[in-house]
Amino acid sequence: KSALFMGILVSLVKEPFALVTSFMGIYMIVKSKQYLKGSLLFIYGIVYFYVVTHYVIPFFTPSMEIIGNGNISFGAGGSLIDIALYPITHFQEFIVDIITTKKIVYLIVLLTAFGVVVVFFSPLELIPAIPPLGIAMLSNIENYYWYNVHYTAPLVAPFMVAFIYGLPKLVVRG
């Protein structure tokens, strides 16, 4: 019950955190085999994100659309499906974009701040970090992929948890 409650609280912080909540559901399914709770959290996060970005925010800010324009610009296209599939359908352009922009610095800072240990020794704990990392890598707006702005905040908890779980594995192997 507490995992569901915490996941719902996380989603209320800001709309991208609803995607973190959704991926916390995937983490619960993969890591601890909590199929029902994980599925509920996943569905809740996706539905909440969709409702907030397509109805709530446009209602209160009628002069702008949220996704696919200059406010949150993605080179991937306007729809959520286009954006989500872009790294697969345009893999080479996606990688070149990361390497030729400050996005590569962003990734290096993340990995060095928490130690590369998180990627190799505790990758499952990074599942909730996939949405904010994906948003950062797909965005054309530098604020989304620069380490000293608040858009990095959703990455801190998953990276810390991964570091906590990964460090003992490194010490045992080292």
Side-chain angles (χ1 to χ4, degrees):
K1 290 180 183 180
S2 64
L4 289 175
F5 180 70
M6 293 305 293
I8 290 170
L9 283 181
V10 166
S11 72
L12 299 175
V13 173
K14 196 168 177 353
E15 65 278 358
F17 280 84
L19 295 175
V20 173
T21 295
S22 192
F23 276 67
M24 285 170 59
I26 294 172
Y27 174 75
M28 289 172 65
I29 292 168
V30 173
K31 180 76 175 190
S32 57
K33 310 295 185 236
Q34 295 183 40
Y35 299 108
L36 179 60
K37 289 180 184 178
S39 298
L40 290 173
L41 208 53
F42 176 77
I43 292 167
Y44 165 80
I46 294 293
V47 170
Y48 183 85
F49 178 78
Y50 183 82
V51 168
V52 167
T53 58
H54 285 79
Y55 298 106
V56 176
I57 294 174
F59 177 79
F60 289 105
T61 53
S63 63
M64 68 180 225
E65 294 177 35
I66 298 302
I67 296 175
N69 67 5
N71 298 311
I72 298 178
S73 180
F74 296 95
S79 79
L80 289 175
I81 299 297
D82 290 342
I83 294 167
L85 292 177
Y86 184 80
I88 297 167
T89 59
H90 297 81
F91 182 75
Q92 185 174 354
E93 292 97 337
F94 179 66
I95 297 300
V96 168
D97 180 53
I98 291 172
I99 293 170
T100 60
T101 62
K102 289 183 177 178
K103 294 174 185 178
I104 191 71
V105 174
Y106 179 78
L107 291 173
I108 291 169
V109 167
L110 282 174
L111 291 175
T112 55
F114 292 99
V116 181
V117 64
V118 300
V119 175
F120 298 110
F121 295 104
S122 198
L124 289 180
E125 280 64 34
L126 294 176
I127 291 173
I130 292 171
L133 195 55
I135 290 169
M137 294 300 102
L138 288 167
S139 179
N140 291 330
I141 299 173
E142 191 173 294
N143 284 348
Y144 283 90
Y145 59 83
W146 202 232
Y147 59 87
N148 63 347
V149 293
H150 73 280
Y151 294 106
T152 305
L155 297 171
V156 174
F159 271 80
M160 284 300 296
V161 171
F163 183 80
I164 290 166
Y165 277 97
L167 189 60
K169 294 176 185 175
L170 175 68
V171 172
V172 168
R173 292 183 186 190

